Amino acid sequence: MLVRPSSKLVLQPSSKLRNQQSSVEMEAFLTHVCKTRTLLTLILCIWVPMEVMAQTGNATVSSKRPSSLNIGALFTFDSAIGRSVGPAILAAIEEVNSDSSVLEGTKLNIIFHDTNCSGFLGTVEALQLIENDVVAAIGPQSSGIAHVISHVVNELHVPLLSFGATDPSLAALQYPYFVRTTQSDYFQMYAIADMVEYFGWREVIAIFVDDDCGRNGISVLGDALAKKRSKIAYKAAFSPGAPLSDINDLLVGVNLMESRVYIVHVNPDSGLSVFSVAKDLGMMTSGYVWIATDWLPTNLDSLVPPDPDKMNLLQGVVALRHHSPDTDLKKSFASKWSKLKHEGSSGFNSYALYAYDSVWLAARALDVFLNEGGTVSFSSDPKLKDTNRSALHLASLRIFDGGQRYLQTLLKMNFTGVSGQLQFDLEKNLIHPAYDVLNIGGTGFRKIGYWSNSTGLSTTEPETLYGKLSNTSIRTPHLYSVIWPGETIATPRGWVFPNNGKPLRIAVPERVSYKDFVSKDKSPPGVRGYCIDVFEAAINLLPYPVPRTYMLYGGGKRNPQYNDLVSQVALNNFDAAVGDVTITTNRTRMVDFTQPYMESGLVVVVPVKQVKSNPWAFLKPFTIEMWMVTGAFFLFVGVVVWILEHRINQEFRGSPRQQLMTIFWFSFSTMFFSHRENTVSTLGRLVLIIWLFVVLIINSSYTASLTSILTVQQLSSRIEGIDSLISSNDPIGVQDGSFAWKYLVNELNIAESRLVTLKTMEDYIKTLQDGPKRGGVAAIVDELPYIELFMSATKCAFRTVGQEFTKSGWGFAFQRDSPLAVDLSTAILQLSENGDLQKIHNKWLRGSECSMQLNEMDADRLSLTSFWGLFLICGIACFIALSVFFCRIFLQYRRFSPENVEGDVEEIEPAPRSSRRSLRTTSFKDLMDFVDKKEVEIKHMLKRKSSDNKQEASPSSDGKSHSPS
């Protein structure tokens, strides 16, 4: 049975309100009054204190399965959502009643009530609906009405199944009987945030209706963007039912702002007026980005065929639509739609699917509820009673006794409907929230991807990815190409300089020292220097004009405090700071910096003095150990070569005095490769080649070290780096305005009393030359670019000691999240790659180069540690050569016997053992005489002995052959 109660509220014609402008304004006024009356009605309905009266027979109880049950439907009939929802609910009721497997023996009745897009009238209709003892209410479509009547259903324990209230705040614990059967805007806003991040935008402007749904949805969007390091630059809200003039004024205002990314979150019935005004203002052209929430596809899906005039307003718009899988159930529903639609609607939207599934959810849950022994009964609320002056019939509002149990049954349901899987999580949200990403163009729209809370942006349908990926961070977001407004496929930059006539305010430090970096100039643009040229060159590489004006910061009498300058940018007193601004950790917390265009770091500068010539400087290149080992090896090699050459080379023979002189001469003459003696033996030549290589290395190293020592500069102080500077108590010079002051105090714990502020380059020179004893400083700590310029200007009279103890760079500072910082970083990299950055550096900072580090004398002295490998190789070669030589001598000596010894042997013929003993006891003098003999003589003697032995052996063999047998 279908119950359609007639009501004056329902029958009021709505066409008249849309035909006249004055009627629209009156409706806005009535809406405001109705909201006030709604709150008063709630107070009367719920919170009026009543006496508790015990009455008998005040409850209606069904002891057996009821023959019929009532559910209500609450929505605006004449709306884009209502025209689709009505036929869907009727179809669901008809199918439930015809399905014997659900609610067998019980008929489900539907009672419709029209909310008329009014919070007040919707609340009244809701109260009238609940008077009919409904077990559940389908709707409403408005989040504002849902907020109000949720208090009513909480009191009366009637579950409210809303297919259209998407306000994220309705998920609060204060609304236990509110069950959302559609997707919450919480997920839709995170989908938009993912798209903003995907396309690389940093700021957006939110355009929304200033109601519960609009405000709370945009609030969630702000939180979602913050997690992506983006933000809502401006919230442009307009009242429900606002005239076109108000919307026009609103869009004119946002068009003067920097951001060109607009998020439109309005209701389906009046949202197209935003695009109509934007079209008239020229805001649907190239460079603009329009992203609409699900209200836009809801409107367009209801129009079949699409209206060409409306589609012409929306070219290039990106929109989100609730995703529903293309199942057989959905296809069957679509095929039946032509029979279901009624006047004013030619297509169905996603809310029709959710309304259809809501009816089935209520029916299936009732079936389970009754099968598990649940009873349907209603009892009077003791808190409500009619007063003598009241005509509201409050006593007719009765509590559904099984409402709590039925609610739990609803939340446990799990089945597949036309919209997809219907199952709730612990927060009462439908599982697997997902959206289609649409791009409107021509006379329709095309699907460029999907979004779900588990898979993020993807070109693959979410249901095929469920279970495959448990973490969206391991999946790269992807969408198909978008045709943006203006029929361009290039992703819009998303921002422009404001069209309000205000150029970029750029702060430039007014320095009194090192003016080559930045300084005041009489000619336009009013400033000059290395930093200015780099900034101008980077600006010229941008694909868009940047109106700008330079503003000097500082009094001109001393360098400004750079931390204060950066703070002024963060406080919006300037848009940017251009100059020698160092990128530090604390400053990056306040502003955004570009890519560094100059490397920097803190160094220590000290005075130096020239070392006077020393008559014994030629001994400095080698240490004492090195000199001793080198001299010993000269003699050692000379002796080795003499031993190897003495027997075969006449130049190494003679009297003992002559041979000793030869050894010394040959040894030290190899130092200059001037030895006149030729080497004959193979072993001698091998040793000499290796030794000459060693001598070559030693000579080269000696020459280089001596050259360095003769031109060395020495420190005029004992400071050798930052560590020795910290441990001393000497005063330290710091440039005025530099961050080095706070760094030395806060990070290195140096007392402020030791720090001396230096304003000009002349102060640098004077304090360093005076030194601590005459009121100066022991060293200066400053950034490397300044020090390079300082040393070049002073002709290298000062030098750095130690290494850079910080690593940083100079960059241009912009306000947080400024897109210009990103574009300029790219431009600076381009300048570096094409060489223009180096050309600008040479133009301003080119000068005489100084060796940045001091050459210390002790460091230039060569020790044995650097050469022991060469000496080891040479020693091994000598040892091998001597070993081979003496082995040959030993073998020859074994074969050699003197003639006098041979005569004695022939005459006396001693026993073999005594003969071997006489050989072992040969005098050392005979051995030395043998070694001292020439090689030719030894070979001749051995040859003669060999022939004599052969002659003696021949007669002996003849005698044996003629002896008798």
Side-chain angles (χ1 to χ4, degrees), residues 758-772:
L758 305 177
K759 296 181 179 181
T760 63
M761 189 179 296
E762 290 72 17
D763 293 340
Y764 279 48
I765 298 174
K766 185 178 184 306
T767 54
L768 284 175
Q769 290 178 344
D770 291 345

Side-chain angles (χ1 to χ4, degrees), residues 626 629 633 863-876:
M626 182 66 184
V629 172
F633 257 83
S863 64
L864 184 61
T865 306
S866 304
F867 298 95
W868 69 267
L870 287 174
F871 289 127
L872 178 64
I873 294 174
C874 184
I876 293 174

Side-chain angles (χ1 to χ4, degrees), residues 70-90:
N70 296 334
I71 63 173
L74 196 65
F75 59 92
T76 300
F77 295 166
D78 189 16
S79 65
I81 295 178
R83 287 187 291 270
S84 294
V85 164
I89 293 178
L90 287 173

Side-chain angles (χ1 to χ4, degrees), residues 426-439:
L426 297 178
E427 297 180 355
K428 297 195 301 182
N429 291 317
L430 290 177
I431 64 171
H432 302 319
Y435 291 87
D436 299 334
V437 184
L438 309 176
N439 183 208

Side-chain angles (χ1 to χ4, degrees), residues 54-241:
Q55 300 179 359
T56 59
N58 63 347
T60 302
V61 182
S62 176
S63 60
K64 60 180 181 179
R65 196 179 187 97
S67 60
S68 65
L69 291 173
N70 296 334
I71 63 173
L74 196 65
F75 59 92
T76 300
F77 295 166
D78 189 16
S79 65
I81 295 178
R83 287 187 291 270
S84 294
V85 164
I89 293 178
L90 287 173
I93 289 293
E94 183 179 351
E95 293 180 8
V96 167
N97 289 331
S98 62
D99 191 342
S100 58
S101 63
V102 179
L103 291 177
E104 184 178 2
T106 300
K107 189 175 184 179
L108 199 61
N109 302 323
I110 185 71
I111 303 174
F112 287 92
H113 277 261
D114 190 358
T115 59
N116 280 286
C117 292
S118 170
F120 174 72
L121 297 180
T123 303
V124 174
E125 292 292 333
L127 294 174
Q128 293 178 356
L129 174 65
I130 296 176
E131 287 180 354
N132 296 288
D133 290 343
V134 295
V135 295
I138 308 298
Q141 72 189 60
S142 168
S143 297
I145 299 176
H147 274 282
V148 176
I149 65 176
S150 289
H151 294 286
V152 178
V153 297
N154 287 351
E155 182 68 20
L156 303 179
H157 297 180
V158 178
L160 187 64
L161 310 182
S162 178
F163 56 83
T166 57
D167 181 2
S169 65
L170 285 169
L173 297 177
Q174 72 176 121
Y175 306 119
Y177 282 86
F178 176 83
V179 180
R180 196 194 325 263
T181 56
T182 185
Q183 300 296 348
S184 169
D185 278 344
Y186 174 89
F187 302 105
Q188 182 171 212
M189 296 307 165
Y190 272 83
I192 292 176
D194 282 350
M195 282 198 296
V196 170
E197 180 188 36
Y198 175 77
F199 290 111
W201 301 314
R202 302 293 295 274
E203 293 184 356
V204 302
I205 293 178
I207 302 174
F208 62 99
V209 176
D210 193 11
D211 58 10
D212 291 330
C213 183
R215 285 190 303 272
N216 295 328
I218 296 302
S219 176
V220 173
L221 176 62
D223 295 339
L225 289 174
K227 295 180 180 179
K228 308 292 183 181
R229 291 204 64 187
S230 300
K231 68 177 182 179
I232 300 177
Y234 182 72
K235 295 181 180 180
F238 60 90
S239 61

Side-chain angles (χ1 to χ4, degrees), residues 355-540:
Y356 181 88
D357 285 343
S358 298
V359 175
W360 272 101
L361 173 64
R364 291 177 182 272
L366 278 173
D367 188 51
V368 174
F369 171 75
L370 295 174
N371 290 337
E372 292 179 350
T375 59
V376 178
S377 63
F378 296 87
S379 59
S380 299
D381 189 345
K383 299 178 182 179
L384 298 176
K385 72 175 183 177
D386 292 327
T387 63
N388 294 332
R389 299 180 181 179
S390 175
L392 295 177
H393 306 290
L394 299 179
S396 62
L397 301 177
R398 301 198 297 170
I399 297 175
F400 177 23
D401 296 328
Q404 177 64 30
R405 182 175 178 182
Y406 180 46
L407 174 65
Q408 298 304 318
T409 304
L410 284 168
L411 298 177
K412 294 178 182 178
M413 296 304 296
N414 182 7
F415 68 95
T416 301
V418 294
S419 63
Q421 186 178 2
L422 212 67
Q423 183 182 357
F424 298 97
D425 59 19
L426 297 178
E427 297 180 355
K428 297 195 301 182
N429 291 317
L430 290 177
I431 64 171
H432 302 319
Y435 291 87
D436 299 334
V437 184
L438 309 176
N439 183 208
I440 300 175
T443 58
F445 44 74
R446 62 189 184 95
K447 196 178 295 182
I448 60 173
Y450 306 89
W451 179 92
S452 76
N453 68 326
S454 58
T455 61
L457 293 173
S458 173
T459 54
T460 306
E461 293 185 351
E463 51 270 14
T464 63
L465 299 176
Y466 293 147
K468 295 182 181 180
L469 295 175
S470 59
N471 192 343
T472 56
S473 63
I474 62 176
R475 183 176 182 85
T476 303
H478 181 63
L479 292 174
Y480 292 120
S481 60
V482 180
I483 300 177
W484 302 100
E487 297 183 355
T488 176
I489 60 174
T491 302
R493 190 170 65 249
W495 66 277
V496 295
F497 285 98
N499 297 328
N500 51 17
K502 294 182 179 179
L504 203 66
R505 302 165 301 169
I506 300 178
V508 177
E510 188 175 1
R511 297 190 57 87
V512 297
S513 62
Y514 300 109
K515 293 186 177 182
D516 290 335
F517 292 109
V518 60
S519 63
K520 181 180 179 180
D521 191 19
K522 295 182 180 180
S523 60
V527 288
R528 63 191 297 270
Y530 168 75
C531 302
I532 302 300
D533 281 5
V534 173
F535 181 75
E536 288 290 333
I539 287 292
N540 292 334

Side-chain angles (χ1 to χ4, degrees), residues 327-334 416-418:
T327 59
D328 294 337
L329 285 174
K330 181 180 177 180
K331 294 177 182 178
S332 176
F333 178 83
T416 301
V418 294

